[in-house]
Amino acid sequence: MKMINKIAASGLGLLFIGSSVFAQSLADAKKAIDAEQYQKAKSMLKNLTVTQADKDENFFYLGWVYLKQDYLDSAKTIFNKGLAVNSKSALNYVGLGAAAHVEKDNSTATTDFNTAITLAGKKNSTPYLYIGLSYLLPVSGSSIGPKGSAVTQADANAAIAVLNQGKAANPRDAEVLTALGDAYRSQLSSNDAYSAYSSALAIDPKSAAANVAEGVLWKYADNFDGAVTQFKAALAIDPNYGPAYREWAETDLRWADTDPATHDAKIQEAADNYKKYISLTDYSVESQMRYADFLITAKDYVTLQKVATELSGSAKSNLRVYRYLGYAALENKDYAAGETALTKWVTQADPKRLIPTDYLKLGKIELALKKDSLGVLDLRKALTLDTTQVDVYGDIAASLYALKKYQEAADAYHVFGEKSPHAKLTDHFKEGFSFYEAYLAQARKAQTDKTFKPDTTLLTKADSAFTYVQHKLASPNVKVVYYQAQVKDFEDSGDRNNIKGLAKPFYEQYIQLTLAKGGTLDDETKSNMVDSYVYLGNYAEFKDKDHAKALDYFNKAKELDPTDARVTYYFQTSGKAK
C-alpha cells in the first residue's frame, strides 16, 4: 500500500489547505461537486444546511453528493429534510425521483419528476438539468464501468427529452447542453453529442466540464490525440480539475490496447494521471472505490486486492468493497478469500445492487474450490438475474460447458449467440455441440427407460447452430460437417430398413474433406471415418440394395478399425469376407 499511502498523503495535504479557507457558499460547493471533490463539498454543504437552514437547495445538493457516492438512504433522508424546509422545493422532488430511479422504482421516479417540473416554472432550467442527470445515473444492478455503458436506450431518451425542455427554458444554460451531450454520447450518437458540447463551449468557453466531455467523446471514437487536447484545454482553464486527469487516465488505458509499441508507456501514464486525479479530489473511501473501478479497467488485480483489503478493514467502508475484493481474489487465484468476500456481498447487499457478474464470479470461485453444485447454482442465478447483460451469458456458457452441463450450456450459448455482437463462431459451434450432447444424454436414458422420449428439438437446435457456422465460413469445416452428419443420422428413423439418407451428403462430404487433407489419421478422425463408412454402407445395403457398394464401404471401415462392432456384425451376418 505504499503507493496508495503516498497518494493519500498528497491528497490530505490539499484537503487540509482547502479546509482552512472553505468559502461557505453554495456556488463553491457546486464547484467542488463538479470537480468530484465530494468530501469537501459535503463539509461545505453540511455547514450550509445549518447556517442557511431555510434554503432548501442546500439540502438538495448535499443529498445529490450522497447519491453520487452510492449512499441512497442518506440521500433520501436529506431530500426529505429539504422538503420539510420547503414543501414546494422542485429540486428536492428531483432528488427523491433520482433515488427512486436508481432503485428501479420507475413509477415513483416519474411522479416525483413530474411534480418537480410542475413546481419549477417555465424559466428555471436547473430542475430539468438534474432530472436529465438522474436518468444518466447507473441504476442499481447495472454493470461496473463507464457511466455511459450502463445507460439504457429508454433512460437516454428520457434524459434527452427533459434536457431539451431545460434548453427551451434557458437556451444559454451550458450545463444543460453538456448533460444533453452526455445523454447522446451514452447511446453513441456522436454527431448530436458533439453539437451539444460545441454549443455549451460557445456559451461558456471556460467550462472545464464541457471540454472534458468532448474529450471523452473523442476517446470513444478512438481519436486519442483529440481527446488529450480537450483534457489539456480543461486543465488550462482549471489546473486542479481532477476529472480531466481521470478521463485522461482512462483514455490512456484504451489507447494502450491499440498500440503494442507504446502499451507499457501508456499504462504507466494512466497510473500517473489517476494518481493526480486522486490527489486533486479527496482521499476518501469513495475515491478509493473509484480507484478500484479504475484498477478493474486496468486489470491490475494485485493492486486491486491490496486496495480492497485495506478498505474492507475500514469502519466506514461501503459494503461494495467486498465485490472488488472478491473479483480481485478470483483473478489472483486466492479462491478462499474470494468466496468469503463475494458471499458477504451477495448475502448482505441490497438485492437491487447485485449484478449477474457477482454470481458469475462467485460461481467460478466455487467451481475452482470443487463446490460444483454451489457453483452451478450461482451460475444459474447469474443467468436469470438480468437478461439484458447478454455478454454474461458467454461466460456462463463457457463455465457450464467445461463442466459438461450441456443442456444448460446450450441454452446459455444460444442466448449469447443470438443477442451479443461479441459471440464468436466457436461459441456457435459449442452451442450446436452442447445441444447435440444434451440429446445424446436423453437417447441413452431412453435405452433403459422405454417410456422416455428424447426431445428431438435439441437436434433441430444443434443443426441450426452448425449450419450457421458453415454459412459464415469461406470453406466447409470438416469437424462441423461431421457433427452435422451425426445430427442428421439421429434425425433419421434409426431403422436400417427404413433409412432416409438425411446424413448421407454430410458423411460423403466428411470423407472427401478428410481424404483431401492427406496425412496420417489420428484416432478421433479414424473413428469418425468409420462412422461415415458404416452409415454409407448401411445406406447402400438397405436403401440402394447395392451390395457391392456396401461391401466396399464396410471394407474401408474394417481397414481403419477391424474390431468395430458394427463392422464385425456386417461381415458375420452378410457372410462376405474381404
Side-chain angles (χ1 to χ4, degrees):
M1 295 306 299
K2 290 182 179 179
M3 179 181 72
I4 301 300
N5 290 333
K6 288 180 181 178
I7 296 172
S10 60
L12 289 171
L14 287 173
L15 281 177
F16 291 145
I17 293 171
S19 64
S20 65
V21 293
F22 275 173
Q24 301 301 318
S25 74
L26 182 58
D28 286 331
K30 289 168 66 177
K31 184 177 180 181
I33 294 173
D34 179 50
E36 298 179 12
Q37 297 172 335
Y38 294 131
Q39 295 302 104
K40 178 179 179 180
K42 277 199 294 190
S43 296
M44 299 167 84
L45 289 163
K46 284 179 180 179
N47 184 62
L48 287 171
T49 58
V50 174
T51 60
Q52 299 176 7
D54 59 334
K55 293 189 176 181
D56 57 275
E57 59 184 340
N58 292 331
F59 292 91
F60 165 73
Y61 287 104
L62 178 57
W64 187 258
V65 173
Y66 279 118
L67 196 62
K68 295 284 284 184
Q69 292 187 314
D70 198 27
Y71 294 109
L72 285 176
D73 290 339
S74 297
K76 288 187 284 188
T77 298
I78 298 299
F79 294 139
N80 279 314
K81 286 183 179 180
L83 286 171
V85 170
N86 177 7
S87 61
K88 296 183 178 181
S89 171
L91 280 175
N92 282 290
Y93 272 111
V94 172
L96 289 176
H101 173 69
V102 168
E103 293 183 311
K104 300 181 182 178
D105 184 355
N106 294 328
S107 176
T108 299
T110 300
T111 298
D112 287 334
F113 289 154
N114 287 341
T115 300
I117 288 172
T118 300
L119 294 171
K122 294 183 178 180
K123 299 297 182 182
N124 183 1
S125 59
T126 304
Y128 295 103
L129 166 65
Y130 281 95
I131 293 173
L133 291 174
S134 298
Y135 280 117
L136 300 181
L137 290 171
V139 299
S140 294
S142 62
S143 56
I144 301 173
K147 180 171 66 176
S149 66
V151 180
T152 66
Q153 181 70 61
D155 285 344
N157 289 342
I160 290 166
V162 76
L163 289 167
N164 275 317
Q165 288 180 270
K167 180 181 174 182
N170 181 3
R172 296 194 60 76
D173 189 330
E175 288 184 272
V176 167
L177 291 167
T178 301
L180 182 59
D182 290 346
Y184 282 124
R185 189 187 72 213
S186 75
Q187 303 306 305
L188 305 180
S189 297
S190 301
N191 290 337
D192 291 325
Y194 178 73
S195 176
Y197 293 144
S198 296
S199 297
L201 288 169
I203 293 168
D204 183 6
K206 296 296 184 181
S207 171
N211 274 288
V212 168
E214 189 171 307
V216 175
L217 182 65
W218 298 139
K219 174 183 76 174
Y220 286 120
D222 289 344
N223 179 358
F224 303 119
D225 289 319
V228 171
T229 296
Q230 293 304 125
F231 302 145
K232 289 180 177 178
L235 291 169
I237 295 165
D238 181 357
N240 296 319
Y241 192 68
Y245 282 111
R246 173 174 54 75
E247 293 294 352
W248 193 345
E250 293 177 4
T251 298
D252 282 331
L253 286 183
R254 189 178 178 101
W255 198 344
D257 288 337
T258 67
D259 186 0
T262 62
H263 179 273
D264 292 347
K266 288 299 176 186
I267 292 294
Q268 183 58 55
E269 185 177 79
D272 293 341
N273 281 327
Y274 213 91
K275 292 174 192 177
K276 291 176 183 176
Y277 163 69
I278 294 178
S279 73
L280 291 169
T281 52
D282 45 52
Y283 188 72
S284 62
V285 169
E286 291 73 34
S287 68
Q288 289 182 79
M289 289 204 299
R290 189 71 181 258
Y291 182 47
D293 285 330
F294 170 80
L295 291 171
I296 288 177
T297 304
K299 296 181 173 60
D300 185 354
Y301 294 106
V302 172
T303 303
L304 176 63
Q305 190 166 0
K306 292 177 181 178
V307 172
T309 299
E310 182 176 279
L311 281 171
S312 66
S314 169
K316 297 180 180 180
S317 177
N318 187 308
L319 188 64
R320 194 172 82 238
V321 70
Y322 292 99
R323 169 188 279 164
Y324 298 130
L325 187 56
Y327 284 20
L330 169 62
E331 297 297 334
N332 295 328
K333 302 188 186 315
D334 187 359
Y335 299 123
E339 183 184 33
T340 299
L342 278 177
T343 299
K344 183 178 181 68
W345 167 246
V346 302
T347 56
Q348 296 185 21
D350 186 328
K352 294 177 182 177
R353 302 176 70 189
L354 301 180
I355 60 176
T357 309
D358 295 332
Y359 285 107
L360 171 66
K361 292 188 180 293
L362 178 56
K364 285 185 173 182
I365 287 171
E366 289 163 338
L367 294 177
L369 292 171
K370 307 302 181 184
K371 299 180 179 181
D372 288 358
S373 59
L374 287 175
V376 171
L377 179 64
D378 281 319
L379 290 175
R380 287 174 176 166
K381 285 181 182 177
L383 188 64
T384 59
L385 188 63
D386 185 354
T387 57
T388 65
Q389 304 294 333
V390 294
D391 283 348
V392 175
Y393 282 82
D395 291 321
I396 294 169
S399 298
L400 292 168
Y401 185 87
L403 283 173
K404 298 185 179 180
K405 302 287 184 180
Y406 290 119
Q407 177 68 72
E408 298 94 330
D411 291 334
Y413 273 126
H414 180 71
V415 176
F416 182 55
E418 189 175 58
K419 297 185 177 182
S420 174
H422 301 122
K424 299 177 181 178
L425 287 182
T426 52
D427 298 312
H428 290 283
F429 172 77
K430 289 179 178 179
E431 175 194 342
F433 182 79
S434 296
F435 277 124
Y436 168 72
E437 286 289 337
Y439 178 83
L440 279 186
Q442 292 191 7
R444 295 186 194 103
K445 180 178 179 181
Q447 289 179 339
T448 57
D449 181 359
K450 301 304 181 182
T451 65
F452 179 76
K453 300 295 182 184
D455 181 4
T456 57
T457 63
L458 296 173
L459 292 174
T460 304
K461 293 175 180 178
D463 184 52
S464 177
F466 291 140
T467 300
Y468 177 86
V469 173
Q470 294 290 40
H471 284 169
K472 291 293 183 180
L473 293 171
S475 58
N477 179 280
V478 65
K479 187 174 184 178
V480 179
V481 170
Y482 172 74
Y483 283 109
Q484 286 180 295
Q486 289 280 287
V487 168
K488 291 300 181 184
D489 201 346
F490 276 108
E491 286 181 349
D492 216 327
S493 65
D495 180 357
R496 294 182 305 173
N497 293 305
N498 293 292
I499 193 169
K500 298 175 183 177
L502 300 178
K504 182 174 181 288
F506 295 100
Y507 279 127
E508 290 174 335
Q509 186 180 27
Y510 179 77
I511 293 171
Q512 179 185 9
L513 292 171
T514 301
L515 294 178
K517 289 170 62 178
T520 303
L521 303 183
D522 58 34
D523 290 342
E524 180 182 355
T525 305
K526 280 185 181 181
S527 176
N528 295 347
M529 289 287 279
V530 170
D531 288 340
S532 304
Y533 286 131
V534 167
Y535 177 91
L536 293 173
N538 282 326
Y539 185 88
E541 181 80 5
F542 295 98
K543 182 71 172 179
D544 290 341
K545 309 300 182 183
D546 188 337
H547 304 300
K549 184 183 290 186
L551 177 60
D552 181 52
Y553 281 128
F554 274 104
N555 275 327
K556 289 177 179 177
K558 186 178 180 181
E559 288 178 7
L560 293 172
D561 185 1
T563 65
D564 183 271
R566 296 164 298 177
V567 173
T568 302
Y569 178 79
Y570 169 80
F571 283 107
Q572 287 175 344
T573 57
S574 69
K576 299 171 182 176
K578 184 175 178 181

